[in-house]
Amino acid sequence: MDKAGRVETSSKNDWAGSLDRFGMWMFVGAETILFLCFFATYLVSSVSTLDGPVPKELLELKSILLPTFLLLSSSWTFYRAEKHFKNDGVRGTMVWLGITLLCALLFLGFEAHEFTSYIGKGYTITTSPFLAAFYVLVGTHGAHVLFGSVWMMLILWHCFRKKTKWTNWKKLQAFAIYWHFVDTVWVFIFIIVYVLGSQGAY
Amino acid sequence: MRSLTIYIVFVKKMYWKAGSDMYSIPFFNTEIKLASDIIFGYITAFILGGGALFFITYKKKWLILWGWIRTTDHLKIGIMYLAAACAFLLRGGLDAMFMRMQLAFPNIDFWVFQGEKYNQMMTTHGTLMIFFVVMPFLFGLMNVAIPLQIGARDLAFPFLNALSFWLFLTGGMLVNISFLLGGSPEAGWTSYAPLAIDGFTGNTGNNFYAFGVQVSGIGTIMTAINFIVTIVKMRAPGMTMLRMPLFTWGSFITVILILFAFPALAAALVLLTFDNILATDFYTGGPGQPLLWQHLFWIFGHPEVYIIILPAFGLFSDIISHFARKAVFGYMSMIIALGLIAFLGFMVWVHHMFTVGYGVAINAIFAISTMLIAVPTGIKVFNWLFTIRGGSVRFPTPMLFALGFIPTFVMGGVTGVMVSMVSADYQYHDSYFVVGHFHYVMVGGTLMGIFAGLYYWMPKMFGLILNETLGKIHFWTFLVGLHLTFFPMHLAGLNGMPRRVYTYLPEDDLFGLNFASSIGAIIMAFSTAVFLFNLIRSFLKKEGDAEGDAWGDGRNLEWSIPSPAPEHRWSKLPVVRSRDPFWAAKEQHQGRLEYETEAQPYVEEGNTILPVLISGFFFVASFGFIFGLHWVGTAGIALIFATMIVRSLTFDKNITLSR
Amino acid sequence: MKRRYVGALMIIFLFLSGCQMRLDVLNPAGDVAAGQRDLIVFSLAVMMIVVIVVAILFIWFLWKYRAGSPIERKGQMLKHSNRKLEIAWTVLPVLLLALMAVPMLIQTYNLETKADTETDAMQINVTGHRYWWQFDYPNDNIRTAQELHLPANEEIIFHLESSDVIHSFWIPQLGGKKDAIPGQTNQLYLKTGEPGIYEGKCAELCGASHAGMRFQVIVHEEEDFKKWKTAVKKEVTPKEGETVSHEGKRVFQQNCLTCHAADGTAVQHTKGPNLTLYGDREKISAILPNDEKHLKEWIQNPEKFKPSIDMPSHNNLSEQELNALVDYLHSLRQENVLEGRE
């Protein structure tokens, strides 16, 4: 899996840290393209609302503020967790990681509530291309948060076992890239889908 | 004309057409129609499968197979890629033969391959050749050669590498078995919407396409990440980026292209799947955007063209320099050209959509950017020629393929420039001219490169050199067959033959051209048979215990280790001081490379069954969603993640720190 | 190494001599296609320069520097790069490409702007269906199918639409193609030349019978075209429920009227292709010779010729009814219609 011991001798350009971190950066690069495609799909599909609601009718800025706050602050709480790990405070890491996990789960809860309320109104994925693209874009992001939550649980478990600390550090570092990326994507979803959408900008 | 008609009647009688819809068996949300071709497929599958099982049991190879299935070793995975790609090549080639037989004469019925059956063959041929033949062949060669060329012990993530391979195989299986389970995809390898949705073509086939390509695509993205990390961070001491062999360079640029191109395909396929399974309206004709699919697909699809040619470019550079006994001419400009091709490759996708009705501005921009790609490609061609100049050229089989490639590829390249010219392309577009063009570059470029690579690195894989006489027969028949098959296609296109038609009228005057193409296809089939015979013969005879520097004159690191490459390839890593390090060592130090004074510790991944399990669950999930068994699909996805959790919890048991 | 060129040349020679080589794209019957032909020939000529240069260098170098050739390998050649040469083969292709780009840009600009601005030109709406083409002449209230009648030496703008999947409208001898995409209308500008019969095709895969989705283009002299328009507009389609004496017409009324109309005025009976002046047509469904034998076979089992076609098999017709129907369809000729004969 890892060849951290050999990196220094093999190559001088150590700018991206361990193999895992560099690999993670590449993965995030690929994910960026995926999300770009979904954003593009969303923008071209949002004009086609058929009998369903137009973006302005569907989207509400107020109710998304709290989940947005939760998710964005999870980036900061995760940063705290990393800091503690560096300073050998595994306990602190676990606490902050737990808080991060909680934020993520709450965010997911809000999203699930949002989706079910839409579906309750009869606005399903088949209603219009706009809704379909909305569900795909926001849903894919939600799936990433869910995936990250499970991942966090596993890291928590590894930290709990306290074994092989260096692998935990690698995992934490790789996860950091993933988690900050997921948050960044949300910033764009928040702005493009929710802020602009609720103002009827497209 | 009259004699032609008599001839056609004669041939028609020779062709046997089976009754259609004899029996049909309900199969979940579809049905399997037992036409003669399907029965033939089942019988073949059982004979081949049964034969393989019998052979393994009879020869007591189960344990060895168990070892290979669980391996995470780059060389073994590379060999498995190549073997699987060979199998898919035969299937894709068989489809091509059916198509060529159906097209050999105007207005005939060959077996069942008319209408949708022809479209199924055509789609399977394209999908298999692009995703499941050419790509895995290249990944196989990359797996075999790159760690050896840059002096790495393995790839950065061996577990991921095994997973990539098994995902590719799963995807390939899905596309292949679709034929037996309710129909192959039939909307072309480009699977344009709305033809591929809304029930315009068989839904089962379209789902098989979407899931098969999606699953293997996930594996492909992982492979790309793996190779980028390996090449950037795991080179031997002193092997700077600008000392890497050009095959590694070509592959490096390719995997970067994959990293940014394949996610677009993944996104496009997700939406296609939703349209087909959940009845959403992304690509439908009325409310949706049929052109959205084309954009997403070609944003992937055009870089894909360079994805499959760039490693071949690199390989040809290595081989030509090897057998001309001379360093590559213009090494730096070769790399710059690779980079430029990759960069421009992302900005030309609309040239596949010249006729969809965009105005003059968009078409002109994309035409100019497309024409520009000819410049770096031209640089490479002249660099190859000047590598030969002043050298001392030998002609073993890999070199023959490399040399056969140059004129063939130039011919494919100039027609490429011709089709890039918008207003003329209104004539070429979707005609056989384009079919001729891309077969020239893909068969004459990539496939010849693959053959060259297989001959070239056969010693590193199995310690043997394939029989040279048979190799030369293979090359010459292949070259003749290739030109005979694909050259007339240009003319057929100019005579107004559209792509993807299963027949044409006698009065179209297309018979001679198509007949020649079909003869060429038969020659290529013969040529491939010679190659297979050569492989099998060599394995049975164990002929020629190749030396480390099997071809003589080896320049790169892979020729400094024994053939076949031993289990532990590098006990100590070589220290590299220049390009062509092994050549330099032979010139200056009687062939002794410099090694690290002390071996550094490294981590080794052991064998594991988890990649196969994960891929198996991908298969289960795909199967469930394809046939409308959503609970099976969901269970499959849950199992995938469960296996990943198992991996996370047990990964440290599978790695050892070595010295 | 030379063998492959000899081989390729032989193939070309064989084709050129054996059968008379017909290349529709290079044999234009209109100004657009002629312009495109010129561009094709020009670009091919420029590209042949590249091919020839590469071929000469290739054969020359391989021969001269084969292993064991006595030629001296001078130090100059063994250099790993040569700035001047490399600049030369970067700049020269750029110049060649620029040479090709100029006429290409001018031609593209002309074609596309004409498609959008040429309002005096004749307008024709084209709709692609699986697997037939429908042609509407909005200014004349004419609707036909499978045969496209055009006046000679006339500028025409086609408005392309599709009712199902993507099709592509292509008449090789009149000019390049353009896609008919559901949900949008594309404009295509073409200009006809000499009168004649030309083949039209669907170039985008549209399903099982993509190969059969063809049409014939008949370019008339001005006079003939006017005559054709008059004939097409004569109402000859039997009304539903009307008592018809002519046996074939009765069979038509009972079996075909659901989908087909027999004249070009129809706004009804448009589910299937229009059958105006069927007796004058050269082909059935644009693929089969329009004779008695083939027409009978076609009516009884169209699936045999166009797989997955919407038209059902009419096995229910007796031999007598079939004969009468075929006679009726074949009687729909211009002179008959104009003189009111049945």
Side-chain angles (χ1 to χ4, degrees):
Chain A
M1 186 78 180
D2 181 79
K3 307 205 166 163
R6 237 187 71 333
V7 170
E8 300 82 0
T9 52
S10 73
S11 129
K12 292 186 188 70
N13 45 356
D14 200 22
W15 54 273
S18 70
L19 296 182
D20 295 38
R21 280 195 58 176
F22 186 47
M24 205 58 195
W25 274 114
M26 293 300 113
F27 176 71
V28 161
E31 291 265 82
T32 309
I33 305 291
L34 184 81
F35 275 104
L36 275 179
C37 290
F38 285 149
F39 272 114
T41 305
Y42 175 78
L43 287 176
V44 297
S45 301
S46 59
V47 290
S48 184
T49 53
L50 305 186
D51 302 332
V54 300
K56 203 175 168 182
E57 288 163 17
L58 182 79
L59 303 165
E60 206 188 321
L61 194 54
K62 225 185 290 173
S63 60
I64 203 69
L65 288 175
L66 183 59
T68 303
F69 173 75
L70 279 172
L71 194 64
L72 294 190
S73 48
S74 81
S75 246
W76 179 77
T77 56
F78 183 79
Y79 170 73
R80 299 291 309 164
E82 255 188 305
K83 263 235 148 127
H84 275 281
F85 200 99
K86 257 186 208 162
N87 304 333
D88 248 5
V90 176
R91 187 174 291 269
T93 307
M94 287 170 67
V95 170
W96 283 106
L97 210 54
I99 296 172
T100 315
L101 180 61
L102 197 67
C103 287
L105 292 177
L106 279 173
F107 172 86
L108 282 175
F110 276 108
E111 187 155 282
H113 176 258
E114 188 193 349
F115 280 15
T116 45
S117 77
Y118 291 158
I119 291 167
K121 287 184 204 161
Y123 301 156
T124 64
I125 195 165
T126 52
T127 307
S128 70
F130 158 62
L131 278 167
F134 168 80
Y135 281 120
V136 165
L137 174 60
V138 181
T140 307
H141 176 266
H144 277 74
V145 177
L146 181 64
F147 185 82
S149 305
V150 177
W151 194 348
M152 260 191 280
M153 291 176 200
L154 285 169
I155 295 179
L156 269 172
W157 168 253
H158 283 299
C159 288
F160 179 70
R161 289 202 311 172
K162 284 185 190 171
K163 276 185 199 163
T164 51
K165 192 181 165 244
W166 61 281
T167 54
N168 285 348
W169 177 227
K170 278 189 320 113
K171 279 170 188 291
L172 214 58
Q173 277 189 311
F175 180 72
I177 297 166
Y178 177 82
W179 195 247
H180 295 313
F181 167 74
V182 170
D183 273 7
T184 316
V185 171
W186 182 257
V187 173
F188 284 98
I189 290 180
F190 177 70
I191 294 172
I192 292 174
V193 177
Y194 288 96
V195 177
L196 295 179
S198 62
Q199 304 307 313
Y202 41 82
Chain B
M1 208 62 216
R2 201 183 145 74
S3 59
L4 174 68
T5 323
I6 293 167
Y7 194 39
I8 290 165
V9 171
F10 172 70
V11 171
K12 254 187 176 172
K13 280 186 184 157
M14 288 174 56
Y15 282 169
W16 165 61
K17 189 184 180 188
S20 51
D21 301 353
M22 287 183 293
Y23 298 100
S24 87
I25 304 167
F27 190 78
F28 301 113
N29 63 358
T30 180
E31 55 180 9
I32 301 170
K33 286 182 186 151
L34 286 182
S36 57
D37 57 324
I38 307 282
I39 295 170
F40 168 77
Y42 272 110
I43 292 173
T44 317
F46 280 117
I47 290 175
L48 289 180
L53 289 182
F54 175 77
F55 179 80
I56 295 165
T57 314
Y58 182 73
K59 291 269 184 181
K60 302 196 174 75
K61 300 278 188 195
W62 281 107
L63 267 178
I64 296 175
L65 190 71
W66 180 240
W68 277 77
I69 285 175
R70 287 154 56 245
T71 189
T72 55
D73 176 79
H74 74 88
L75 194 68
K76 283 186 172 173
I77 289 175
I79 290 169
M80 290 199 291
Y81 263 120
L82 297 175
C86 266
F88 290 142
L89 174 72
L90 294 185
R91 167 76 206 278
L94 189 66
D95 293 344
M97 292 310 291
F98 288 150
M99 283 149 62
R100 277 324 320 170
M101 291 306 108
Q102 167 64 29
L103 285 173
F105 304 96
N107 261 351
I108 52 152
D109 291 346
F110 171 72
W111 200 355
V112 292
F113 299 109
Q114 299 87 42
E116 60 186 45
K117 285 279 184 191
Y118 180 89
N119 289 356
Q120 291 185 2
M121 285 304 110
M122 168 269 287
T123 305
T124 316
H125 171 74
T127 313
L128 280 182
M129 287 300 189
I130 298 273
F131 293 108
F132 302 106
V133 174
V134 166
M135 303 268 305
F137 261 132
L138 293 174
F139 287 157
L141 293 177
M142 282 155 71
N143 261 298
V144 167
I146 287 184
L148 303 182
Q149 282 198 328
I150 62 172
R153 289 199 165 87
D154 203 326
L155 293 192
F157 311 111
F159 180 90
L160 207 58
N161 193 24
L163 181 57
S164 297
F165 167 73
W166 290 105
L167 285 179
F168 140 72
L169 196 63
T170 306
M173 285 302 185
L174 283 171
V175 172
N176 267 285
I177 60 168
S178 63
F179 179 63
L180 300 178
L181 299 179
S184 306
E186 50 186 286
W189 85 277
T190 50
S191 200
Y192 271 15
L195 185 64
I197 55 173
D198 266 3
F200 283 122
T201 46
N203 215 356
T204 318
N206 290 325
N207 284 337
F208 265 118
Y209 170 89
F211 280 96
V213 175
Q214 184 75 285
V215 169
S216 78
I218 295 170
T220 306
I221 294 175
M222 290 198 237
T223 305
I225 295 174
N226 216 338
F227 274 103
I228 292 177
V229 177
T230 307
I231 293 174
V232 171
K233 304 198 74 80
M234 295 183 58
R235 282 165 283 121
M239 175 61 86
T240 60
M241 291 299 266
L242 291 183
R243 287 178 190 162
M244 294 197 311
L246 280 170
F247 175 69
T248 304
W249 257 111
S251 305
F252 181 56
I253 304 282
T254 277
V255 287
I256 293 174
L257 281 171
I258 289 175
L259 188 71
F260 294 114
F262 264 74
L265 178 68
L269 287 171
V270 166
L271 305 183
L272 187 75
T273 312
F274 277 28
D275 268 5
N276 268 331
I277 289 181
L278 301 177
T280 52
D281 276 324
F282 288 108
Y283 302 136
T284 48
Q289 316 255 357
L291 291 185
L292 177 64
W293 164 267
Q294 295 190 20
H295 279 290
L296 292 177
F297 185 83
W298 289 117
I299 285 173
F300 142 78
H302 201 83
E304 169 74 5
V305 172
Y306 300 107
I307 287 169
I308 62 183
I309 195 68
L310 293 188
F313 278 177
L315 178 56
F316 289 129
S317 301
D318 282 0
I319 290 179
I320 290 173
S321 130
H322 186 152
F323 295 108
R325 291 173 53 92
K326 195 164 157 286
V328 175
F329 187 88
Y331 178 87
M332 271 311 290
S333 61
M334 284 293 214
I335 292 171
I336 294 168
L338 284 173
L340 274 177
I341 292 174
F343 176 71
L344 288 170
F346 272 105
M347 316 194 162
V348 297
W349 80 89
V350 175
H351 71 217
H352 297 270
M353 304 166 62
F354 274 159
T355 61
V356 302
Y358 288 131
V360 62
I362 291 180
N363 280 356
I365 290 169
F366 281 93
I368 298 285
S369 60
T370 307
M371 290 171 98
L372 280 178
I373 292 190
V375 176
T377 316
I379 294 176
K380 297 193 78 72
V381 170
F382 285 107
N383 278 340
W384 287 319
L385 290 176
F386 277 75
T387 305
I388 297 170
R389 180 171 176 256
S392 171
V393 185
R394 289 191 292 134
F395 299 96
T397 312
M399 184 63 166
L400 282 181
F401 275 102
L403 293 176
F405 150 85
I406 293 178
T408 312
F409 184 79
V410 169
M411 286 170 76
V414 296
T415 51
V417 176
M418 288 167 71
V419 292
S420 77
M421 303 178 63
V422 195
S423 51
D425 180 70
Y426 293 154
Q427 287 283 20
Y428 306 128
H429 190 91
D430 267 338
S431 79
Y432 254 77
F433 191 91
V434 173
V435 179
H437 157 69
F438 69 69
H439 278 94
Y440 256 86
V441 279
M442 278 195 224
V443 180
T446 309
L447 201 57
M448 297 251 274
I450 286 161
F451 284 137
L454 286 174
Y455 280 97
Y456 188 54
W457 282 314
M458 199 51 78
K460 284 299 143 202
M461 291 185 265
F462 301 109
L464 52 87
I465 289 181
L466 292 177
N467 181 292
E468 279 287 288
T469 315
L470 286 173
K472 279 169 185 163
I473 296 174
H474 173 208
F475 167 73
W476 284 108
T477 46
F478 193 79
L479 191 74
V480 169
L482 184 162
H483 284 273
L484 188 54
T485 309
F486 302 121
F487 188 80
M489 287 184 178
H490 296 102
L491 301 175
L494 287 179
N495 196 16
M497 183 171 174
R499 266 175 98 166
R500 294 165 169 175
V501 292
Y502 73 85
T503 193
Y504 46 91
L505 304 179
E507 55 265 37
D508 284 341
D509 279 356
L510 288 166
F511 163 66
L513 297 168
N514 278 291
F515 189 72
S517 280
S518 297
I519 299 286
I522 292 170
I523 297 177
M524 283 169 80
F526 167 77
S527 168
T528 313
V530 171
F531 174 61
L532 285 179
F533 173 71
N534 196 355
L535 275 179
I536 293 166
R537 182 176 168 278
S538 300
F539 285 134
L540 292 183
K541 277 188 148 183
K542 281 275 173 201
E543 171 179 312
D545 296 315
E547 298 163 28
D549 190 3
W551 298 100
D553 308 329
R555 309 183 75 85
N556 292 320
L557 288 181
E558 77 258 35
W559 303 111
S560 70
I561 59 169
S563 299
E567 193 94 349
H568 288 276
R569 272 129 227 166
W570 312 97
S571 49
K572 284 179 187 169
L573 292 177
V575 175
V576 177
R577 303 245 179 249
S578 69
R579 261 173 239 161
D580 297 340
F582 188 49
W583 180 265
K586 283 190 283 193
E587 297 253 289
Q588 292 153 16
H589 311 283
Q590 295 83 46
R592 279 198 306 277
L593 276 171
E594 195 181 338
Y595 289 95
E596 294 174 309
T597 41
E598 200 179 323
Q600 301 292 327
Y602 60 97
V603 176
E604 233 180 347
E605 177 87 43
N607 285 355
T608 164
I609 194 66
L610 291 180
V612 180
L613 276 182
I614 295 179
S615 306
F617 295 139
F618 263 102
F619 186 87
V620 172
S622 308
F623 192 88
F625 287 123
I626 289 167
F627 289 105
L629 309 165
H630 293 308
W631 61 273
V632 175
T634 319
I637 288 186
L639 283 169
I640 293 168
F641 287 109
T643 325
M644 284 165 72
I645 291 173
V646 170
R647 165 67 181 172
S648 172
L649 296 177
T650 60
F651 80 101
D652 41 357
K653 293 196 181 68
N654 202 41
I655 53 175
T656 41
L657 196 65
S658 308
R659 253 191 193 281
Chain C
M1 285 305 126
K2 273 185 203 161
R3 234 187 296 176
R4 88 176 55 104
Y5 294 106
V6 177
L9 279 176
M10 269 176 64
I11 295 162
I12 298 169
F13 184 71
L14 204 120
F15 284 131
L16 291 175
S17 59
C19 22
Q20 289 134 332
M21 186 75 133
R22 195 184 97 190
L23 294 176
D24 280 353
V25 168
L26 302 183
N27 181 22
D31 285 355
V32 175
Q36 283 163 337
R37 189 259 327 261
D38 294 343
L39 191 65
I40 289 170
V41 172
F42 172 67
S43 62
L44 181 65
V46 175
M47 285 293 112
M48 282 315 284
I49 299 173
V50 179
V51 174
I52 289 167
V53 168
V54 170
I56 289 173
L57 289 179
F58 181 72
I59 295 169
W60 179 27
F61 287 170
L62 275 183
W63 179 252
K64 200 166 170 193
Y65 299 105
R66 67 190 191 278
S69 85
I71 204 87
E72 192 184 337
R73 276 84 171 165
K74 289 190 215 107
Q76 176 75 22
M77 291 172 192
L78 298 177
K79 279 193 178 169
H80 298 164
S81 62
N82 182 327
R83 184 72 51 84
K84 275 182 203 155
L85 275 176
E86 286 173 64
I87 289 173
W89 62 60
T90 310
V91 173
L92 286 178
V94 172
L95 292 179
L96 280 186
L97 290 177
L99 188 69
M100 292 163 75
V102 173
M104 183 251 316
L105 289 176
I106 293 170
Q107 191 174 76
T108 310
Y109 180 81
N110 284 340
L111 285 181
E112 295 297 332
T113 42
K114 272 188 181 152
D116 292 337
T117 56
E118 203 72 23
T119 40
D120 312 337
M122 187 176 171
Q123 312 282 322
I124 295 179
N125 297 340
V126 178
T127 314
H129 302 271
R130 304 218 293 176
Y131 304 95
W132 55 282
W133 293 94
Q134 173 182 301
F135 305 105
D136 288 280
Y137 300 69
N139 299 334
D140 299 296
N141 288 321
I142 292 176
R143 164 170 292 182
T144 64
Q146 291 174 335
E147 266 193 0
L148 173 61
H149 291 258
L150 301 171
N153 300 311
E154 180 81 32
E155 295 188 304
I156 299 149
I157 290 177
F158 296 95
H159 302 266
L160 308 169
E161 284 171 14
S162 166
S163 69
D164 34 50
V165 301
I166 301 178
H167 303 282
S168 193
F169 178 84
W170 186 27
I171 311 165
Q173 282 182 278
L174 289 190
K177 60 189 75 65
K178 195 152 265 186
D179 294 354
I181 300 170
Q184 74 181 66
T185 307
N186 280 340
Q187 266 72 249
L188 172 68
Y189 167 86
L190 293 178
K191 188 163 187 289
T192 55
E194 291 296 299
I197 300 179
Y198 309 105
E199 290 293 319
K201 283 147 195 179
C202 170
E204 182 66 66
L205 177 67
C206 55
S209 280
H210 167 55
M213 187 168 168
R214 303 169 55 133
F215 58 101
Q216 285 202 304
V217 185
I218 294 131
V219 178
H220 300 277
E221 297 285 6
E222 189 65 39
E223 278 307 302
D224 291 345
F225 184 66
K226 275 187 187 141
K227 206 170 150 198
W228 174 81
K229 278 205 282 196
T230 339
V232 168
K233 287 170 90 167
K234 285 267 184 209
E235 288 189 39
V236 293
T237 313
K239 303 261 181 317
E240 271 171 276
E242 170 192 50
T243 326
V244 179
S245 54
H246 188 289
E247 167 74 358
K249 196 169 182 180
R250 187 188 58 75
V251 179
F252 183 85
Q253 181 195 35
Q254 283 169 359
N255 293 285
C256 314
L257 207 54
T258 339
C259 306
H260 300 289
D263 63 51
T265 61
V267 280
Q268 286 176 304
H269 320 305
T270 54
K271 208 174 147 202
N274 178 292
L275 302 180
T276 318
L277 301 182
Y278 209 79
D280 285 337
R281 296 197 184 184
E282 194 182 313
K283 297 226 168 120
I284 303 165
S285 200
I287 52 169
L288 289 173
N290 189 8
D291 55 34
E292 204 174 313
K293 175 174 157 284
H294 281 102
L295 189 53
K296 279 184 193 167
E297 279 185 48
W298 169 263
I299 294 168
Q300 284 178 320
N301 189 9
E303 179 89 12
K304 187 179 156 197
F305 305 99
K306 279 195 180 181
S308 309
I309 191 177
D310 278 342
M311 178 167 162
S313 304
H314 291 277
N315 297 319
N316 55 332
L317 298 179
S318 68
E319 189 61 32
Q320 208 180 355
E321 285 174 315
L322 200 60
N323 282 333
L325 179 60
V326 168
D327 278 348
Y328 170 68
L329 286 173
H330 280 165
S331 75
L332 293 171
R333 304 171 67 88
Q334 197 163 308
E335 60 269 22
N336 291 349
V337 169
L338 283 175
E339 289 163 26
R341 269 183 295 171
E342 275 184 359

